[in-house]
């Protein structure tokens, strides 16, 4: 009974840790449409870059619906790469960098990435502890009979997940006019709970 209860507690902690990742991923996905809408008026000639970000977001949302950490990690890495390209290209547009809406979105994305990285480490730590329980005696004998299965790690590359730090040397003085971000484009954020906990395999 103690072994069973311990496995249940470890599994629940792991699923709770995954829900934290899910929250941060959804927040990240929700920011992308506003970011694209904010920059497209200034980066009309960078259509390929904007489309890459939009497509990467769509793929990340679709991967999130599977609940498979490996698929989600790969899709989120692609989204990070497309965001890096977007912020790198933005360096060529001083007018864009002077808009507070753009700088605010960039700062929010950076904060979200920091929270996501913490959540990923917390989740992987719980997965490690839970999987160790499943693989060690005598718990492994009971776990297999009761249908407990290991969780997969969220293997996102740390370098790919980092949002680039953009230098805004031409930021407007406090109190100067700035444009507000337009509403998100069609499609909107993924449905709540669409990703769910990672599957046990």
């Amino acid at each position: 009974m103690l072994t069973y209860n311990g496995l249940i507690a470890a599994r629940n902690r792991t699923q709770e840790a995954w829900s934290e990742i899910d929250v941060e991923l959804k927040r990240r996905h929700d920011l992308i449409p506003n970011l694209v809408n904010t920059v497209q008026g200034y980066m009309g000639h960078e259509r390929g870059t904007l489309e890459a970000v939009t497509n990467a977001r769509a793929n990340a949302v679709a991967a999130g619906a599977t609940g498979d950490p490996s698929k989600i990690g790969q899709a989120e890495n692609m989204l990070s790469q497309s965001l890096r390209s977007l912020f790198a290209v933005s360096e060529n547009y001083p007018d864009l960098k002077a808009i507070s809406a753009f700088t605010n979105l960039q700062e929010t994305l950076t904060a979200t990435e920091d929270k996501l990285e913490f959540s990923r480490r917390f989740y992987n730590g719980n997965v490690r502890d839970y999987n160790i329980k499943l693989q060690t005696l005598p718990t492994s004998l009971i776990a297999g009979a009761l249908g407990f299965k290991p969780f997969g790690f969220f293997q996102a590359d740390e370098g790919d997940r980092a949002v680039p730090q953009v230098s805004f040397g031409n930021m407007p003085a406090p109190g100067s006019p700035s444009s507000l971000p337009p509403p998100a484009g069609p499609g909107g954020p993924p449905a709540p709970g669409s990703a769910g906990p990672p599957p046990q395999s």
Side-chain angles (χ1 to χ4, degrees):
M1 184 178 296
L2 290 174
T3 300
Y4 176 79
N5 289 343
L7 287 170
I8 289 292
R11 186 173 66 183
N12 288 345
R13 281 195 301 269
T14 303
Q15 290 174 328
E16 181 181 8
W18 178 260
S19 70
E20 293 298 321
I21 291 179
D22 196 33
V23 167
E24 297 305 327
L25 290 177
K26 285 188 172 71
R27 180 178 292 119
R28 184 191 201 204
H29 299 161
D30 292 349
L31 291 170
I32 303 299
N34 279 340
L35 178 65
V36 171
N37 287 337
T38 299
V39 303
Q40 64 185 359
Y42 295 84
M43 300 171 56
H45 299 294
E46 308 292 345
R47 186 178 208 75
T49 302
L50 296 176
E51 288 179 353
V53 172
T54 302
N55 292 337
R57 176 195 180 270
N59 292 336
V61 171
T66 69
D68 185 340
S70 62
K71 293 181 180 178
I72 294 172
Q74 183 178 6
E76 292 297 329
N77 286 341
M78 293 302 296
L79 180 55
S80 290
Q81 292 173 13
S82 65
L83 285 173
R84 276 207 306 271
S85 297
L86 176 63
F87 285 121
V89 170
S90 71
E91 286 291 318
N92 299 324
Y93 297 87
D95 291 343
L96 173 62
K97 294 191 297 179
I99 296 177
S100 63
F102 177 73
T103 59
N104 289 340
L105 284 168
Q106 194 272 339
E107 291 170 359
T108 304
L109 273 169
T110 300
T112 300
E113 290 291 336
D114 291 341
K115 294 176 182 177
L116 187 54
E117 177 59 20
F118 174 81
S119 298
R120 184 184 73 86
R121 291 178 183 275
F122 182 66
Y123 166 76
N124 282 344
N126 278 280
V127 169
R128 178 199 60 217
D129 295 342
Y130 174 71
N131 288 349
I132 288 174
K133 284 180 180 288
L134 297 185
Q135 296 168 6
T136 54
L137 292 170
T139 306
S140 59
L141 301 175
I142 300 173
L146 296 177
F148 288 91
K149 296 178 182 179
F151 284 108
F153 288 98
F154 186 35
Q155 299 286 5
D157 181 74
E158 294 182 18
D160 285 343
R161 295 195 65 81
V163 168
Q165 298 299 314
V166 182
S167 174
F168 300 105
N170 297 324
M171 289 183 64
S176 62
S178 60
S179 67
L180 297 176
S194 60
Q200 290 190 297
S201 57

